[in-house]
Amino acid sequence: MDMNQYLSMFIDESNDHLQSLNESMMGLEANPEDLSIVQVIFRSAHTLKGMAATMGFEDLASLTHQMENVLDLVRNNKLRMQDFI
């Protein structure tokens, strides 16, 4: 299957998720205990991971998978965001 036909859609959607990640990270910096922000970041990372894997962008899929792992630790109170800020 030729994935090039989907590349512009991937780029557009990725830009939206990256913008959301950026805004959410800034919000998390201001309020590191707000787990609802962590949820938003997790969902964007998860969506980016799936889109990247579908497109065959394994490095991006791996990076976002690692992001999910860290964010999952935060969501399950095994790691505190305050330790990073």
Side-chain angles (χ1 to χ4, degrees):
M1 176 188 243
D2 181 19
M3 298 305 281
N4 286 330
Q5 63 184 352
Y6 300 107
L7 185 58
S8 67
M9 185 185 324
F10 170 81
I11 291 170
D12 288 342
E13 289 188 30
S14 293
N15 282 333
D16 291 343
H17 286 287
L18 290 171
Q19 181 67 33
S20 174
L21 280 169
N22 186 49
E23 291 170 3
S24 297
M25 292 297 284
M26 291 178 70
L28 192 59
E29 184 177 22
N31 192 2
E33 294 184 17
D34 189 345
L35 291 181
S36 68
I37 299 172
V38 174
Q39 280 296 111
V40 171
I41 296 168
F42 184 91
R43 281 193 303 274
S44 287
H46 181 74
T47 301
L48 278 170
K49 179 186 77 173
M51 291 176 11
T54 299
M55 293 296 293
F57 301 144
E58 296 304 319
D59 289 343
L60 181 56
S62 177
L63 172 66
T64 50
H65 181 73
Q66 291 175 34
M67 287 174 62
E68 282 182 319
N69 289 342
V70 171
L71 293 165
D72 199 43
L73 291 172
V74 174
R75 292 188 319 170
N76 290 303
N77 296 313
K78 295 180 180 175
L79 186 65
R80 295 175 346 128
M81 288 306 300
Q82 297 87 328
D83 296 339
F84 295 102
I85 297 174

